[in-house]
Amino acid sequence: GENVEQHPSTLSVQEGDSAVIKCTYSDSASNYFPWYKQELGKRPQLIIDIRSNVGEKKDQRIAVTLNKTAKHFSLHITETQPEDSAVYFCAASPGYSSASKIIFGSGTRLSIRP
Amino acid sequence: SAVISQKPSRDICQRGTSLTIQCQVDSQVTMMFWYRQQPGQSLTLIATANQGSEATYESGFVIDKFPISRPNLTFSTLTVSNMSPEDSSIYLCSVQPQGTDTQYFGPGTRLTVL
């Protein structure tokens, strides 16, 4: 089955700097890669996703890159702000046309230093 | 995205008892899932709630411990049976609208077993 590894487990960056979170996956059948943000005491919220036919996707200060050959994908947050402090989860799935099961990484706790 | 509610939002239970958690969504969805999130951990899929048939359980989770109902396309329940302190966790339902890859999460149920 699919296995998703996520690094680092904790990340502290100065406000205004960039943050990068990296994930690897094992199942070559995975073709959908969402990223969720979970603030303390709240539900996970989808912030961006990417499909295997795309190498990069950007939404304002957030971008995700995918290297399907190497089975790597990454989340990039630029110009970090205090409200970016949260736990971020990457995930992988074969997509809705298949089993649809999403497997989550272990999470990265991001702290933004003022 | 779908509007998802869960009841109860939290509960404190005695060991050996059972608790049923409800998940309601405001539109018909094909796929519904139940996850467990232990303190400080990632999300672990318990089972896929199938409408009109038995749920599909992940490795390590069994129907006798976590019976699931899915009577229609907008509602599901998860029961945590014969609880022990190790069952203390947050239980979340998620839905995946038809024809999409994306899962949206309910607000979660925080369960404490004494």
Side-chain angles (χ1 to χ4, degrees):
Chain A
E2 176 66 276
N3 181 51
V4 179
E5 295 193 356
Q6 183 171 348
H7 301 280
S9 57
T10 60
L11 180 60
S12 178
V13 301
Q14 194 75 33
E15 182 178 350
D17 289 349
S18 296
V20 180
I21 301 170
K22 298 182 178 182
C23 292
T24 62
Y25 62 99
S26 61
D27 189 349
S28 57
S30 289
N31 58 22
Y32 173 64
F33 306 92
W35 287 85
Y36 287 84
K37 175 184 180 182
Q38 188 175 32
E39 298 177 15
L40 189 63
K42 302 285 184 62
R43 74 186 81 186
Q45 298 269 18
L46 179 75
I47 55 171
I48 196 168
D49 57 14
I50 192 168
R51 288 168 179 78
S52 60
N53 58 346
V54 175
E56 183 174 359
K57 183 176 178 180
K58 192 173 183 180
D59 182 3
Q60 299 182 351
R61 296 186 296 108
I62 294 173
V64 59
T65 59
L66 171 65
N67 182 330
K68 199 161 168 61
T69 302
K71 298 194 183 77
H72 292 174
F73 58 115
S74 301
L75 178 72
H76 304 251
I77 306 174
T78 59
E79 301 173 16
T80 53
Q81 300 170 4
E83 54 265 35
D84 295 329
S85 294
V87 178
Y88 291 80
F89 294 99
C90 64
S93 165
Y96 73 89
S97 60
S98 300
S100 296
K101 193 164 59 177
I102 289 182
I103 303 300
F104 286 84
S106 54
T108 296
R109 183 174 300 278
L110 175 63
S111 300
I112 307 301
R113 302 191 304 271
Chain B
S1 64
V3 177
I4 308 162
S5 60
Q6 280 186 238
K7 290 181 183 180
S9 58
R10 59 178 62 224
D11 207 342
I12 301 173
C13 301
Q14 297 297 320
R15 72 170 66 211
T17 63
S18 298
L19 176 72
T20 295
I21 302 166
Q22 299 178 5
C23 179
Q24 179 79 53
V25 61
D26 68 340
S27 57
Q28 294 187 342
V29 292
T30 305
M31 307 293 289
M32 292 182 78
F33 305 88
W34 286 98
Y35 288 83
R36 182 173 72 185
Q37 186 175 31
Q38 295 181 309
Q41 301 296 313
S42 185
L43 296 98
T44 301
L45 181 63
I46 297 171
T48 302
N50 301 308
Q51 197 269 327
S53 64
E54 201 168 273
T56 305
Y57 290 84
E58 297 301 305
S59 176
F61 298 96
V62 295
I63 187 172
D64 290 346
K65 176 67 176 177
F66 298 102
I68 288 171
S69 78
R70 178 89 192 271
N72 56 52
L73 293 176
T74 63
F75 185 78
S76 179
T77 67
L78 168 76
T79 299
V80 187
S81 303
N82 188 24
M83 289 184 285
S84 66
E86 293 71 37
D87 295 320
S88 296
S89 188
I90 297 173
Y91 292 85
L92 301 112
C93 67
S94 75
V95 304
Q96 185 170 327
Q98 191 168 2
T100 73
D101 297 318
T102 306
Q103 286 190 24
Y104 301 96
F105 284 87
T109 296
R110 182 180 295 273
L111 170 63
T112 302
V113 184
L114 302 177

